Amino acid sequence: MSDLTQVHCARPEVLLLTRNDAFNAHFQAQFAADFGITHCVSPESACETVQHSTSPVAALFLAPESIKSNEPQRVIDAMKSRFPESPIILLHDNIQLDPLIHLLDQQNLDHCFTWDYDPDTLRSIVRVASMRLRTPVRKRAQGTSAHPSKQKPAVLIVDDEVLGTKYLKKQLERLQSDFDVVCAADAEEALRILAQQSIQVVMTDQRMPGMSGQQLLNHVRQQYPQVIRILTSAYGELDVALDAVNEGRIFRYQKKPWEAQTVLDCLTHALQEADVVSHKQQAQAEDVAQAFETLLQQRRDALCQLLASLPGADDTSAQAYLDTMAAIPTLSPQAAHLRASQETAVEQDLITLLSEAVEGALARLPELSADAQGSISATSTISAIPAIPAISDARRAWVDALNRQCQRLSGTEASDPNLWDTMAEHPLTLLTHVLSPLTRIARPFLQQQAALIITWAITHRLSGQWQLTHGAEGCILSLTLPEQGQA
Amino acid sequence: MRLFLTMKSQLIREALLFQLFQQDDLQLVGESATGVDTLRQLEASQANVLVIEEDLADNDGLTVAEIALTQNASLNVLLLVDANLTQQRLAIYLEAGIKSVVTLNQPLTALFKALHYVRRGQVFVDAERYRAYAPLSAAERFSTLSEREQEVAQLLAQRMEAKAIAEHLGVSYKTVHSYKDRIFVKMGFERLPELVLFMNRIHSGVSR
C-alpha cells in the first residue's frame, strides 16, 4: 500500500479555532471518535499548525465569538494556500445575514452552520474532504483572460418580476458589452435555457412560483457544476441563505433591490470565477484523458499479447480485434477510473482473469489439425452435420463451443443448435468492453468479454468471418463460417 | 422522493420496498433486476433517486449508475455494495458521482440514514463505519434502559396495545406513551417493527 492510502485510512485531521471552551468540549465530545482534532485558541497558533502540519488538514472549523471578526483571516489564507481543497466551515450560534454575505463575498467559507447542526453532515463533509486530499492538487489556472469558447459569455437572470428583469437587462447592456444577458421568468424556463445554450452565470431570485431559487441553484450545481450561482432576495431569510451556501454552494448572495452597478460588479466577478473554473476543469479533463490514453496503450499491449497467443490468431488479427472494440463507444474516462486503474489491481485483474477465462474454455477443445477439418456450411444445421461424413468430431466440438458462447452472449436459453448463424438478429448490449475505462472487473463483464473473444478465436480458427458493428440497437455480431468443400 | 430500485433478487427487493414504504413521501417509479433494463426505464420514470446494487446479473451497478448520470447528472445514486468496502473503493465511488454507499452487511437503518441525505442531493459518508471501537451490543444497549422502560419495551414487542400495558402496569395511558417515546429516543428507533426485531434478537440470544 502506498503512503497516500495509509494516510487516508487514518482519521482525518481537522483544525478547530475557537476561544469558547464550552464549544470546544462539545465539539470534542461529538467528533473525537471521527477526527483527529487540533484545538487552537489563537489565530497565530492555528497558522502555525496549518503551516507545519505533517499530515494534511482535511477541514478548518471556525467558531469565533463574533461572526464579523477579521481575526481568522490569516488562518483562512494559510489554509487556502497549503490545503486549497479542504473546506472552511463556520459554526456560530447567531449567524446574521449581512456578515454571512460579506464572508461569501470574500470567498472565506465553504460551509456555514448554526450550533444546532447535524453532526453527521459535518462528519460526512470531512470524510469526503479527506478523500479528496489524495488527489494531487492542481494549481489554479493562471491568465484567465481568454474564454475557451471565444463566444461572448452569457448570464442568465431568473426572476418572476418580468418587468424588473427586463429593465435590469437593458441597464446592464448599456453599461457593458462583455457579456450577454438572458432572462427567464421561472425555474422551469431557466432549466430549459440552460439545456439549450451555453450559460456561465445564473443569478436567480429566491421567491418564485414553482421551484424556489435555492432549489434551482441546487439543481444547477448538480446538472451544470461549472455554472456560477448567485442567489438574490428581497427578504432577509437566513435559513434560505444557509441552505444556498451549504447545498447550492452559491458564489454570492445579492440583496434586492438591485443597483445596476452593484449587480454588474457581482456578475463581472462571477464571470471571472466561471473562467477560472472552466480552465481548471478543462485542464483536469485533459490530464485525465492523457493519463488514460497512456494506461490504455499499456492495456492494449497486454491484450494484444493475450489475443495473439490464441490458436489461429496473430498480432495483426489481434490488433484488428482491438480496433473493432475501440470503435464501440463507451463512457469517457473520469478521475474515478484513473484512480481505479492506478491505485487498485483493476488493470492486472483484467488481463489475468480474462486470459484464464478464455484459455480455460479453449483448452477444453480438441486439437484442430489441418487435415481434420471437414466441410461445413453456414446454412446447414448442427443436426444435419452428422450426415456429412467428412466432418470430424474435432470440428464439431469447436462449432458446439462457438454455439455455447453465442448463447451466453445473446442471453438466450433456447437450444438453437445453430445460434451463431442468427447472431445478427440479437443485438448485444456492451455497456463496457475491454478498452473502456473500468473501475472494477465485474463477473458479468468478464463473462461477456471472454465469450466475445472466444467466438472471435473460434471463428478465426475455423477460417470464418467475425464481425462486430455498432448500431443504434446495440452491437451486431455476425459470424460466417466458410462453406467449403470436402477436406 | 421518486425512487427507482434495482436489485437482482426479487425477494430482497420486495422486502426492502416493504420497509421503505413505511417511510413517508416515497413514490416508487420503477424497479428492475438488471442493468440494461434499468437504463431502458430510468429516463421515462423521472426518478430522482436510484438505489442500485453493484452486483447485477448482467452488469455492474456502478457502470450502470455512471451511464445513468451522464444522461441525468442530477440523479441521486445510492450504491449497495458487497461487505468489503475499503476507503479506497469508496473514494472511487464518490468520484464517479455516487452520493452514498451502503454495504449489504450494514443494518437497514444505515440505508435509511443514507437515503435521508441522498434524496436531498447531498453526499453522505457514514462515519460510524470508520470508527475504531466496536459499537455496543444489543444487550448492552438494552441495559441502558431503566427497569420500567425495559418492562414496557418487552410488552410493546409482544404487540400489546398501550392501553393494555397501562392496565397491566397500573399506570396511566399517557405514562406508557412517554415510556415508549423515551425507549425510542434512547435506542434510536423510529418505528415499532425495529423494537420488535430488537427484542426478538435479545431473547433469542442472537443479538449483535
Side-chain angles (χ1 to χ4, degrees):
Chain A
M1 236 187 240
S2 73
D3 290 342
L4 275 173
T5 332
Q6 274 167 1
V7 166
H8 294 280
C9 287
R11 283 187 310 172
E13 292 294 326
V14 305
L15 185 61
L16 171 66
L17 174 62
T18 186
R19 288 211 167 87
N20 185 330
D21 288 337
F23 182 76
N24 176 41
H26 173 69
F27 190 87
Q28 300 274 356
Q30 261 178 330
F31 299 116
D34 305 297
F35 321 139
I37 306 168
T38 309
H39 172 220
C40 294
V41 176
S42 72
E44 291 73 35
S45 63
C47 274
E48 251 335 75
T49 312
V50 172
Q51 274 150 7
H52 300 110
S53 162
T54 45
S55 51
V57 179
L60 169 64
F61 286 93
L62 301 169
E65 278 143 55
S66 158
I67 188 172
K68 290 179 190 160
S69 155
N70 280 328
E71 269 204 323
Q73 191 59 49
R74 292 179 48 198
V75 193
I76 292 170
D77 292 341
M79 273 300 277
K80 278 185 181 169
S81 81
R82 183 135 191 244
F83 306 111
E85 303 287 321
S86 299
I88 296 160
I89 303 161
L90 180 73
L91 304 171
H92 202 271
D93 62 341
N94 183 23
I95 297 171
Q96 284 143 8
L97 191 59
D98 286 332
L100 178 66
I101 293 172
H102 181 70
L103 284 168
L104 209 55
D105 284 351
Q106 307 292 309
Q107 293 187 280
N108 273 350
L109 81 168
D110 295 288
H111 294 280
C112 184
F113 297 96
T114 52
W115 281 4
D116 59 353
Y117 55 77
D118 171 6
D120 281 325
T121 300
L122 295 195
R123 289 188 185 107
S124 192
I125 289 170
V126 172
R127 275 281 161 196
V128 173
S130 77
M131 283 185 248
R132 212 181 300 140
L133 283 170
R134 308 167 42 145
T135 329
V137 173
R138 165 163 279 284
K139 285 203 187 96
R140 285 199 158 195
Q142 303 292 317
T144 55
S145 53
H147 198 263
S149 61
K150 294 224 171 98
Q151 213 181 358
K152 212 191 232 187
V155 169
L156 175 62
I157 299 177
V158 193
D159 199 319
D160 57 325
E161 287 171 37
V162 183
L163 281 177
T165 12
K166 210 170 152 190
Y167 181 60
L168 179 66
K169 175 181 157 85
K170 268 192 187 152
Q171 279 181 303
L172 286 172
E173 281 170 351
R174 209 175 302 141
L175 285 166
Q176 56 80 39
S177 56
D178 299 332
F179 59 87
D180 289 332
V181 181
V182 186
C183 300
D186 57 34
E188 282 71 28
E189 193 185 350
L191 289 172
R192 262 199 308 279
I193 293 172
L194 279 161
Q196 283 162 2
Q197 69 183 88
S198 153
I199 297 284
Q200 279 65 46
V201 176
V202 172
M203 181 169 105
T204 176
D205 188 39
Q206 163 62 10
R207 292 203 187 175
M208 296 183 291
M211 201 190 274
S212 76
Q214 197 264 316
Q215 285 173 310
L216 170 65
L217 292 184
N218 197 5
H219 200 90
V220 171
R221 175 181 63 86
Q222 296 185 42
Q223 190 97 39
Y224 309 99
Q226 77 285 1
V227 173
I228 304 299
R229 303 166 293 277
I230 301 168
L231 188 69
T232 65
S233 180
Y235 308 88
E237 295 157 303
L238 182 69
D239 50 340
V240 169
L242 284 178
D243 277 354
V245 169
N246 292 323
E247 289 179 28
R249 312 302 314 273
I250 55 168
F251 176 68
R252 288 287 160 84
Y253 183 102
Q254 184 69 45
K255 272 185 159 182
K256 278 206 319 194
W258 309 308
E259 247 179 73
Q261 189 57 50
T262 325
V263 173
L264 177 59
D265 290 347
C266 176
L267 291 176
T268 311
H269 278 140
L271 283 166
Q272 282 165 0
E273 178 73 8
D275 233 19
V276 172
V277 169
S278 94
H279 271 91
K280 197 170 148 187
Q281 276 188 343
Q282 217 182 340
Q284 257 162 6
E286 277 165 20
D287 277 3
V288 168
Q290 211 176 359
F292 188 71
E293 205 48 51
T294 315
L295 269 169
L296 202 56
Q297 198 47 55
Q298 289 163 2
R299 197 196 287 176
R300 260 192 90 123
D301 292 347
L303 284 169
C304 186
Q305 218 177 346
L306 160 65
L307 293 170
S309 71
L310 300 177
D314 56 25
D315 260 7
T316 321
S317 63
Q319 288 293 357
Y321 180 87
L322 292 172
D323 287 341
T324 305
M325 297 315 283
I328 296 166
T330 55
L331 287 172
S332 52
Q334 304 292 327
H337 304 120
L338 212 54
R339 174 160 297 171
S341 287
Q342 288 172 343
E343 295 181 15
T344 70
V346 162
E347 295 293 325
Q348 227 177 315
D349 287 352
L350 172 67
I351 305 300
T352 323
L353 296 173
L354 202 59
S355 62
E356 272 171 22
V358 173
E359 279 162 12
L362 293 178
R364 285 192 290 274
L365 292 171
E367 186 57 39
L368 199 63
S369 57
D371 58 341
Q373 285 192 27
S375 81
I376 187 154
S377 145
T379 49
S380 66
T381 59
I382 288 285
S383 55
I385 288 173
I388 304 169
I391 290 178
S392 71
D393 285 348
R395 186 162 171 123
R396 234 177 69 211
W398 281 71
V399 174
D400 276 348
L402 180 62
N403 217 34
R404 265 198 310 279
Q405 299 306 328
C406 288
Q407 239 170 51
R408 168 169 279 174
L409 280 172
S410 61
T412 52
E413 305 226 346
S415 52
D416 183 346
N418 218 6
L419 190 63
W420 50 266
D421 201 27
T422 57
M423 275 309 278
E425 291 152 32
H426 303 274
L428 308 175
T429 311
L430 303 183
L431 295 184
T432 45
H433 56 70
V434 288
L435 296 179
S436 321
L438 297 169
T439 49
R440 69 165 201 158
I441 308 302
R443 177 162 291 278
F445 163 79
L446 195 66
Q447 285 176 341
Q448 187 192 41
Q449 293 304 307
L452 212 51
I453 292 174
I454 296 165
T455 59
W456 170 79
I458 291 179
T459 317
H460 265 271
R461 187 67 189 88
L462 297 174
S463 313
Q465 291 276 325
W466 182 94
Q467 223 181 4
L468 186 67
T469 47
H470 179 255
E473 291 279 300
C475 292
I476 305 291
L477 177 64
S478 46
L479 306 174
T480 327
L481 296 188
E483 199 168 346
Q484 65 183 51
Q486 304 284 318
Chain B
M1 166 164 63
R2 296 176 59 83
L3 174 76
F4 196 107
L5 180 63
T6 304
M7 290 187 88
K8 62 174 180 284
S9 147
Q10 186 182 353
L11 184 82
I12 298 171
R13 191 167 72 235
E14 281 179 10
L16 186 57
L17 283 172
F18 280 135
Q19 289 300 319
L20 286 168
F21 274 122
Q22 301 205 23
Q23 307 272 90
D24 45 15
D25 186 30
L26 170 91
Q27 198 186 345
L28 181 70
V29 295
E31 57 180 309
S32 170
T34 69
V36 170
D37 187 42
T38 301
L39 288 174
R40 199 179 298 135
Q41 289 185 48
L42 200 57
E43 205 175 346
S45 77
Q46 293 191 316
N48 64 355
V49 175
L50 169 67
V51 174
I52 185 167
E53 202 177 358
E54 186 169 43
D55 273 313
L56 297 171
D58 67 332
N59 268 295
D60 100 83
L62 179 63
T63 307
V64 174
E66 285 183 281
I67 292 170
L69 282 168
T70 59
Q71 290 161 1
N72 174 15
S74 46
L75 182 69
N76 299 306
V77 185
L78 190 154
L79 195 67
L80 295 169
V81 306
D82 264 354
N84 304 316
L85 175 68
T86 60
Q87 249 203 37
Q88 199 174 29
R89 290 297 302 170
L90 181 60
I92 291 170
Y93 294 135
L94 295 182
E95 225 157 27
I98 303 297
K99 292 274 158 57
S100 191
V101 181
V102 174
T103 75
L104 290 176
N105 66 354
Q106 279 184 282
L108 189 62
T109 46
L111 176 68
F112 286 164
K113 196 166 161 185
L115 267 177
H116 168 76
Y117 294 95
V118 166
R119 66 194 297 176
R120 290 186 289 156
Q122 291 178 17
V123 171
F124 179 69
V125 177
D126 193 353
E128 262 172 54
R129 282 180 47 81
Y130 301 101
R131 291 198 185 140
Y133 55 81
L136 290 181
S137 73
E140 282 165 337
R141 286 170 61 207
F142 187 61
S143 68
T144 64
L145 295 177
S146 75
E147 248 173 71
R148 211 47 193 268
E149 285 164 355
Q150 291 189 6
E151 216 172 335
V152 173
Q154 306 265 20
L155 297 172
L156 282 170
Q158 290 161 21
R159 302 276 187 179
M160 197 190 267
E161 299 283 338
K163 268 206 178 117
I165 297 176
E167 266 171 44
H168 182 82
L169 297 177
V171 296
S172 80
Y173 176 73
K174 252 184 150 174
T175 312
V176 173
H177 263 282
S178 70
Y179 276 129
K180 184 183 163 186
D181 287 346
R182 256 182 283 164
I183 294 164
F184 272 50
V185 168
K186 280 191 186 175
M187 298 284 104
F189 298 147
E190 281 177 11
R191 304 185 316 273
L192 191 60
E194 287 178 58
L195 172 77
V196 175
L197 176 61
F198 181 82
M199 293 307 297
N200 269 288
R201 281 183 173 150
I202 287 186
H203 282 303
S204 59
V206 293
S207 67
R208 297 156 309 154

